[in-house]
Amino acid sequence: MAWPNPLRFSFKPKRPANLYFMIMASVLCTLCYLIGVWQHSSNSGVGKTASRFLITGVPCSLATTTPPNTTTTAVRHLDYSAHHHAHDPPPKAARVPHFPPCSPEFSEYTPCEDAKRSLRFDREKLVYRERHCPEPNELLKCRIPAPNGYTLPFRWPESRDSAWFANVPHKELTVEKKKQNWIRFEKNRFRFPGGGTMFPNGANAYIDNIGRLINLEDGSVRTAIDTGCGVASFGAYLLSRNILTVSFAPRDTHEAQVQFALERGVPALIGILASNRLPYPSRAFDLAHCSRCLIPWGRFDGLYLIEVDRILRPGGYWILSGPPINWEKHWKGWDRTPEDLNAEQSAIESVARSLCWKKLKQKNDIAIWQKPTDHIHCTTNRKVFKKPQFCQASDPDKAWYTKMEDCLTPLPKVKQIKEVAGGQLAKWPERLTSIPPRITSGSLKGITAENFRENTEIWKKRVAHYKTIDHQLAEPGRYRNLLDMNSYLGGFAASLVDDPVWVMNIVPVEANVNTLGVIYERGLIGTYQNWCEAMSTYPRTYDFIHSDSVFSLYKDRCKMEDILLEMDRILRPEGGIIFRDDVDVLVEIRKMMDAMEYDTWIADHERGPYEREKILLAIKRYWTSPPPTQFQQGTNNIS
């Protein structure tokens, strides 16, 4: 029996049947099309509304104005919530997180600097005043309220000189520091005349005196740190000279001094020189300053000056005014004996020499030392100075809960005596875009000069895109205090350098590469942070928070809700947050932000809709504690 060849088929068509099929298909297609057109036209009102919302990308309340000098761009409001559910069985109700307001007594709650918790710790070297964060079972699960009557701060530069009393309702400093002219109370606001204990003629005049001793005008001094800052008038007035200062002081040595600094729009953090390293990398600051900061510089074998040496760049300056400088003139007013003050100054001078610092000048109440640009000579004189010896095999940039060491942080080796250890920094403003020495030296694994240039250009485009989404970011002066939670190379801050803002750049301690040194070499400021813990700052510190891949980084490390509650704590009412992350992460974040009563929407990546990474914008609504008569009979809303 012969089988037919399977590769040979007959393709002779049956013409009448096929013609009938084609006619029926055409009729059905035409009918479906006409039904679709009819349905679309019957819902034209809804379609118009939806189109209008897609064009603006924001609710009406947030899109009423167009910022000056900006281009209006269509931004799509992206909705990733489910709209279809099975009818059998009925869907289970999703658990909606509940974040009630905290009791008004928590309006200034700073979790890791809580006074009650600090009493558990050692008072030696003021350890009890360092960071001590609550355990997971102690965390508040409520939203920190603003005080009743809270008002948006004055805009910069007016905020440098004024703050609303309702925002920081503490008058203690107006009495305690009345003679020093730190702060004055007038009607419903505070005034900051720019005075200080050691600069009765004002901060500007004081800085002018320093400028006669060292050059503050040529761009070689860009980053500074002010220890025991008071209300940060020193840092506030350096800003007009393009010098960016990190001011810090302990929690409530004087009531709310750091809080006043932040309300003025001046960079500041809660901090103290005690037993841990300051949370900054080595070779970070061009200048360190202490004006009657009451730090015992000569004690503990000069431990605190050794720490200042670690964070000063080669050739950087240390400035001291107040006791014991010029004690011959002031000892009676300081209520101390000449012998005591002379001994203190001798101890400081001795420690400075052991660090190989050179005393440049002492004029009237100001003394200035300079750190060497390399350690060639310092290495040879260790036989003369038995202490401190050079540190061995320790990471000088590790500074998160890292104990201070009584050893000298060695500078990178140089080949020639005139070479600057670690590389010569460009002067400001060229420093911002010059390749940082830590990158040119190859000390950061996987980061090249080309990476740096590309990153700088990418963030210019990203920030331009952000300004089409958040009109408050685009409006000059609307935001002042900004926080970047995962800064990498500081590209976000660098792209905003011409705006009237400052950015606190955070390098998470969990980051793959420690890049905070690069950020400082660019002439920017920042600190380390573990976002599973609270930040060392007061509530309502920042106008705007930028979160780039933070929640992907902290996945499975701690709860998302705890990070979001901390962000809510440090964000001012009507402030904004931009989350940049995978779309699935953003959907989860949005659910919680909605539960926190934020206005939220998701927008496309700047490269378009086909990127999994999206952008979530959240605006914090204005709300405050109720008037005292309404909550006196209530209970604390803590879960």
Side-chain angles (χ1 to χ4, degrees), residues 241-460:
R241 304 169 194 242
N242 280 323
I243 297 175
L244 195 54
T245 306
V246 176
S247 300
F248 77 90
R251 172 83 158 89
D252 293 345
T253 296
H254 301 302
E255 188 70 35
Q257 54 187 333
V258 169
Q259 193 174 15
F260 277 121
L262 294 163
E263 198 70 17
R264 299 175 71 182
V266 179
L269 288 165
I270 298 171
I272 189 171
L273 273 164
S275 68
N276 289 325
R277 284 179 172 179
L278 296 173
Y280 314 109
S282 64
R283 313 194 317 269
F285 297 98
D286 300 312
L287 183 151
H289 173 258
C290 163
S291 175
R292 197 177 173 85
C293 61
L294 306 180
I295 296 172
W297 298 111
R299 293 187 60 196
F300 311 119
D301 295 323
L303 183 66
Y304 299 143
L305 278 179
I306 291 172
E307 174 62 4
V308 170
D309 179 84
R310 183 185 71 84
I311 61 175
L312 266 184
R313 69 162 173 83
Y317 303 102
W318 184 58
I319 301 174
L320 177 64
S321 65
I325 303 303
N326 203 12
W327 60 265
E328 298 89 345
K329 178 179 179 181
H330 298 294
W331 67 273
K332 290 183 179 179
W334 290 340
D335 197 24
R336 292 174 61 183
T337 66
E339 293 77 15
D340 179 34
L341 288 162
N342 185 44
E344 182 181 352
Q345 178 150 355
S346 296
I348 291 172
E349 303 271 12
S350 177
V351 173
R353 284 194 298 271
S354 73
L355 299 174
C356 305
W357 292 3
K358 177 183 178 181
K359 189 173 185 180
L360 291 182
K361 295 186 180 176
Q362 179 173 327
K363 186 174 182 180
N364 299 324
D365 298 337
I366 299 172
I368 302 178
W369 286 262
Q370 186 174 27
K371 180 178 176 176
T373 56
D374 62 70
H375 272 163
I376 292 178
H377 292 310
C378 204
T379 302
T380 61
N381 68 16
R382 285 309 89 185
K383 295 180 180 179
V384 176
F385 297 102
K386 302 299 182 183
K387 291 184 178 181
Q389 293 298 315
F390 284 104
C391 300
Q392 301 295 323
S394 63
D395 182 355
D397 290 347
K398 187 177 180 181
W400 185 252
Y401 293 122
T402 304
K403 292 297 180 185
M404 291 183 195
E405 297 180 280
D406 58 354
C407 55
L408 182 57
T409 300
L411 290 172
K413 293 183 179 180
V414 296
K415 296 179 179 179
Q416 299 178 0
I417 192 68
K418 292 185 179 181
E419 185 180 349
V420 176
Q424 179 70 54
L425 292 178
K427 294 182 178 180
W428 183 263
E430 290 77 13
R431 189 182 295 189
L432 182 68
T433 52
S434 298
I435 307 300
R438 278 175 164 88
I439 293 179
T440 56
S441 67
S443 61
L444 296 182
K445 185 178 179 181
I447 301 178
T448 65
E450 186 61 28
N451 297 149
F452 176 80
R453 294 189 190 96
E454 290 176 356
N455 184 266
T456 299
E457 292 305 313
I458 286 171
W459 278 106
K460 287 180 182 178

